Amino acid sequence: DQVAHALARNTGVRIQPAGAVAANLLGLSDQVPAKIVYLTDGRPRTIKIGSQTITFEQTSPKNLLHNEKTALIVQALRFLGEEVLTDEVVSKLRAVLSPAERRRLLKDARYASTWIPGAVRRIAGEQSAGEQSDG
């Protein structure tokens, strides 16, 4: 991750970990991804460093969230899928976010596709109408 961010700084592009890398960085997967992929607003490229290969896949700038933690969470959710979003995963993700980051996550993910906004509301602790609070 540090190497990828150093490369991004040197080239002046934005990046964010995608898929398995995001899940691993958040501790949602203890498997080291076989393919290290970052999304970028720069040109796509692949760099080999020792035995590791880092792939930068081009995406539109609107897909790159400004907050690193919220970007990690959205990418990890997309990779893991809705069926993996257990109460344990929700609690784990909630624990890594400050209240301000939870608000940021809600804002950043509101335009995400399909099930992601609902998952984000669970992680942020936002209740829908009809739900009771814990206390």
Side-chain angles (χ1 to χ4, degrees):
D1 193 54
Q2 292 174 349
V3 171
H5 279 87
L7 290 168
R9 280 191 302 275
N10 287 341
T11 57
V13 299
R14 292 188 314 153
I15 65 168
Q16 72 183 34
V21 176
N24 180 267
L25 289 171
L26 286 167
L28 299 177
S29 168
D30 53 2
Q31 293 182 326
V32 177
K35 186 176 179 185
I36 299 173
V37 179
Y38 285 80
L39 301 177
T40 181
D41 59 358
R43 66 181 175 86
R45 63 193 235 186
T46 300
I47 297 173
K48 189 161 178 72
I49 300 169
S51 63
Q52 292 284 345
T53 300
I54 302 173
T55 302
F56 295 92
E57 293 181 354
Q58 188 174 33
T59 189
S60 70
K62 72 176 185 166
N63 290 330
L64 296 173
L65 302 179
H66 293 287
N67 182 285
E68 188 173 337
K69 268 192 196 169
T70 61
L72 275 176
I73 290 172
V74 170
Q75 288 301 316
L77 290 173
R78 284 184 177 140
F79 171 74
L80 294 169
E82 185 175 14
E83 62 280 353
V84 176
L85 195 65
T86 63
D87 289 342
E88 180 183 349
V89 170
V90 168
S91 294
K92 194 173 213 176
L93 291 174
R94 188 178 294 152
V96 301
L97 296 170
S98 69
E101 288 169 329
R102 289 180 194 178
R103 288 188 298 275
R104 182 79 224 181
L105 178 61
L106 284 166
K107 184 176 179 184
D108 285 350
R110 70 178 168 224
Y111 299 116
S113 60
T114 62
W115 60 274
I116 301 284
V120 162
R121 284 192 296 277
R122 279 183 63 196
I123 293 163
E126 186 177 269
Q127 296 176 323
S128 60
E131 286 184 305
Q132 296 286 325
S133 71
D134 292 341

